[in-house]
Amino acid sequence: MRGNHGYNQESIQDMNRTLLISLLRKEGICARAHLANLSMLKQATVTNIMNDFINWGVVKEVGFLVGSKGRRSIGISINNDDYGVIGIRLGRKNYTVGLFDLSGNLVDHRRREVDAGPKPRAIFDKIKREAKDLMKLAKQGERKVIAAGIAIPGPYSERRGRIELMTGVSGWNEISIQEELTEDLQLPVFVEQDANAGALAQYWHKEEDYKNNVLVYIADGQGVGAGIISNGELLKGSIGVAGEIGHTSICFNGPKCACGNFGCLENYCSSIAFTKKVNEELKSEKELSFSETAKLVQDGNEKAVDIFMESCDNLSVGIVNVINSFNPAFIVIGDDMAHIAPDLMLERIKKDVEERVLPEIYANMDISMSVVSSDSMVHGAAIVAIMDIFSHPGKYFEQESG
Ligand SMILES: [Zn+2]
């Protein structure tokens, strides 16, 4: 605990544990002595903490490593078999529930589409059931689920524990997501805005590149949002809704948005806006779904490609606003729209951005497409939970020993 009284013994131990398990995760497999070098902790401290971790089943020994002078030492790594977390991603038109190991690797998952019909209450109940099913499956495989994270479309008020606005879907603001999940799953549950979760997923996998810098993850999906990580910390804002770039305007006299603003970015480049536009332009008899319209782009349908490009151009305007606001070194673009034609999208956005920002700024930044997984946000949801586990290992595992 930070405070006027300094650090007590217990919190020092927690900090050392956190440091070591984080280092071990990044190293993959290594020897205790190597961890002592990296952490600058005493060998005895490392040995004691690793003994606890091994007793708890968080770390395991994985045979011998041969060092530079031919000396053999026992290799250790995070035990990815005994514990797990649940990651949930709630979208406007679908949801994903996944089981992850302690390193943040996906073990099993279900993605479900949601029709326009069912109300948030019914969808939420289904999500809870799927999460419990996955926990049951995990248990059959002798994996104990110890925490859960959920990534939700913002703006989400952390203080109220509720989604304040989900464009195009009403009723979510009546559900206490965290409270209900905690009670139902009987687990610590962490809620994060989806783009923030996506940013954390990127950061988790490439921390070496991103630390001491500004990373912005842009989720271009059913809504548009940004997760901003500066020097390893998420920028959350005063009530936790920073990064809602979907509701920044790119056209001051554009159509009015449900948030109150006019010409909001997400109404020009989200997957919902894109699908709607393709349907309007193609005047097809049957309304095409997002994946059908995406397929048209991939198949080279001229009209669909034009609309996709226009959507990229619109997103670029939003990205330029982000660049001039936060001066990021890294921008990573993810979510549904980013998976239609990643190379095409990246090329177009880079060209647009280069034209619109100062050369000095452009020369010192990098734009790329998300490579973490097809859904960095469900990944990120799990990582939010794992981060808490790694921050307080004692809280999760101490009672397991004996
Ligand atoms: Zn808006």
Side-chain angles (χ1 to χ4, degrees), residues 32-144:
R32 288 171 177 82
H34 183 60
L35 280 183
N37 282 338
L38 288 176
S39 64
M40 298 198 287
L41 293 173
K42 285 188 202 123
Q43 182 94 40
T45 308
V46 174
T47 303
N48 283 336
I49 290 177
M50 285 305 141
N51 284 346
D52 282 345
F53 281 164
I54 288 170
N55 283 333
W56 297 339
V58 181
V59 165
K60 61 180 178 185
E61 294 185 330
V62 289
F64 288 98
L65 300 172
V66 181
S68 54
K69 290 170 194 153
R71 276 188 20 208
R72 298 203 316 165
S73 53
I74 298 168
I76 49 175
S77 79
I78 290 187
N79 180 353
N80 282 326
D81 301 325
D82 290 1
Y83 294 101
V85 301
I86 294 288
I88 301 167
R89 197 257 164 122
L90 172 64
R92 287 167 177 77
K93 296 194 166 181
N94 54 46
Y95 63 85
T96 307
V97 182
L99 172 67
F100 293 80
D101 67 24
L102 277 188
S103 295
N105 304 308
L106 184 67
V107 178
D108 196 354
H109 82 292
R110 286 94 198 264
R111 181 184 158 112
R112 307 271 187 244
E113 304 302 317
V114 176
D115 304 325
K119 292 271 176 288
R121 167 52 55 198
I123 298 166
F124 194 51
D125 288 344
K126 265 194 207 158
I127 291 175
K128 289 193 285 188
R129 265 202 305 278
E130 302 254 19
K132 279 200 227 167
D133 276 355
L134 271 184
M135 285 171 70
K136 215 180 287 168
L137 271 180
K139 200 174 171 190
Q140 285 163 7
E142 315 232 310
R143 182 191 299 277
K144 187 179 176 192

Side-chain angles (χ1 to χ4, degrees), residues 249-270:
S249 180
I250 60 166
C251 180
F252 75 91
N253 54 3
K256 186 160 189 185
C257 173
C259 75
N261 202 355
F262 294 83
C264 285
L265 176 64
E266 69 181 32
N267 297 322
Y268 294 87
C269 62
S270 69

Side-chain angles (χ1 to χ4, degrees), residues 124-364:
F124 194 51
D125 288 344
K126 265 194 207 158
I127 291 175
K128 289 193 285 188
R129 265 202 305 278
E130 302 254 19
K132 279 200 227 167
D133 276 355
L134 271 184
M135 285 171 70
K136 215 180 287 168
L137 271 180
K139 200 174 171 190
Q140 285 163 7
E142 315 232 310
R143 182 191 299 277
K144 187 179 176 192
V145 175
I146 53 175
I150 176 166
I152 53 161
Y156 170 77
S157 162
E158 287 198 333
R159 217 171 29 197
R160 298 191 344 119
R162 287 162 198 235
I163 296 171
E164 297 293 346
L165 168 71
M166 202 194 285
T167 323
V169 191
S170 60
W172 279 103
N173 57 351
E174 287 153 25
I175 297 175
S176 299
I177 293 178
Q178 186 172 35
E179 216 177 283
E180 275 196 39
L181 271 179
T182 306
E183 198 177 303
D184 231 58
L185 305 181
Q186 292 288 303
L187 294 173
V189 173
F190 303 88
V191 184
E192 193 51 83
Q193 188 244 36
D194 52 10
N196 284 350
L200 289 170
Q202 301 294 328
Y203 193 82
W204 179 261
H205 290 284
K206 279 176 90 175
E207 188 175 333
E208 281 314 306
D209 295 355
Y210 297 146
K211 72 178 176 192
N212 307 325
N213 232 316
V214 180
L215 159 73
V216 179
Y217 172 79
I218 293 178
D220 185 7
Q222 291 156 14
V224 178
I228 302 150
I229 296 182
S230 178
N231 290 321
E233 296 278 338
L234 262 181
L235 179 74
K236 292 223 173 187
S238 65
I239 63 161
V241 301
E244 283 298 335
I245 60 163
H247 296 286
T248 59
S249 180
I250 60 166
C251 180
F252 75 91
N253 54 3
K256 186 160 189 185
C257 173
C259 75
N261 202 355
F262 294 83
C264 285
L265 176 64
E266 69 181 32
N267 297 322
Y268 294 87
C269 62
S270 69
S271 62
I272 290 175
F274 166 74
T275 309
K276 192 171 155 227
K277 190 88 191 272
V278 173
N279 272 298
E280 279 169 12
E281 293 278 317
L282 292 183
K283 299 185 184 75
S284 53
E285 274 180 28
K286 171 187 152 286
E287 171 131 342
L288 301 170
S289 68
F290 167 70
S291 43
E292 286 162 337
T293 52
K295 182 89 180 11
L296 285 177
V297 175
Q298 286 154 358
D299 292 346
N301 177 296
E302 218 169 295
K303 267 189 182 158
V305 171
D306 282 350
I307 297 166
F308 179 67
M309 286 313 188
E310 196 187 326
S311 171
C312 293
D313 292 341
N314 293 334
L315 177 63
S316 298
V317 178
I319 290 177
V320 168
N321 291 339
V322 166
I323 292 170
N324 286 318
S325 304
F326 301 104
N327 182 211
F330 300 96
I331 288 190
V332 181
I333 304 163
D335 212 357
D336 292 346
M337 289 296 283
H339 299 292
I340 297 180
D343 295 341
L344 199 63
M345 185 178 206
L346 183 62
E347 192 190 343
R348 182 70 160 221
I349 288 175
K350 278 185 164 174
K351 184 178 156 287
D352 287 342
V353 170
E354 189 173 10
E355 282 169 12
R356 285 169 177 256
V357 300
L358 288 169
E360 178 68 10
I361 298 177
Y362 188 76
N364 287 289

